[in-house]
Amino acid sequence: MHSLSARLFGFPTAIAHGMWTKARCLAALDPSLPAGFTVEVSFRKPILLPATVQFGERAHSAGIRFGVHGAGKGTPHLGGEVRFG
């Protein structure tokens, strides 16, 4: 989101939109995803740009848990789960 529009929503700088972040996570998981799945995410803190973040994933019996955290302090930005079936 551009810095001017981000300021209208109370952010001090440009941000990475939460839905873009979710889509980027799903793109990273794409090789592991079946044809049918559901996804649920929690948006925690905005990613103020510029930023360096880390993506992590962990498989479990019903799907994959994933998240995005700040590379420095580990600030949680997004948490989610993909469920198969």
Side-chain angles (χ1 to χ4, degrees):
M1 184 178 276
H2 191 275
S3 61
L4 293 176
S5 54
R7 284 190 193 126
L8 292 173
F9 290 98
F11 301 111
T13 66
I15 64 167
H17 196 284
M19 292 302 286
W20 180 89
T21 306
K22 174 186 173 184
R24 184 62 189 93
C25 290
L26 291 174
L29 294 171
D30 184 58
S32 304
L33 298 177
F37 63 90
T38 60
V39 63
E40 185 176 316
V41 299
S42 297
F43 301 106
R44 304 216 172 121
K45 298 224 176 201
I47 300 173
L48 302 176
L49 299 176
T52 302
V53 297
Q54 294 178 320
F55 170 77
E57 63 180 283
R58 184 179 69 224
H60 64 89
S61 61
I64 303 170
R65 289 190 180 98
F66 61 93
V68 176
H69 294 81
K73 296 180 182 178
T75 304
H77 295 291
L78 180 143
E81 182 176 12
V82 173
R83 292 187 197 104
F84 302 150

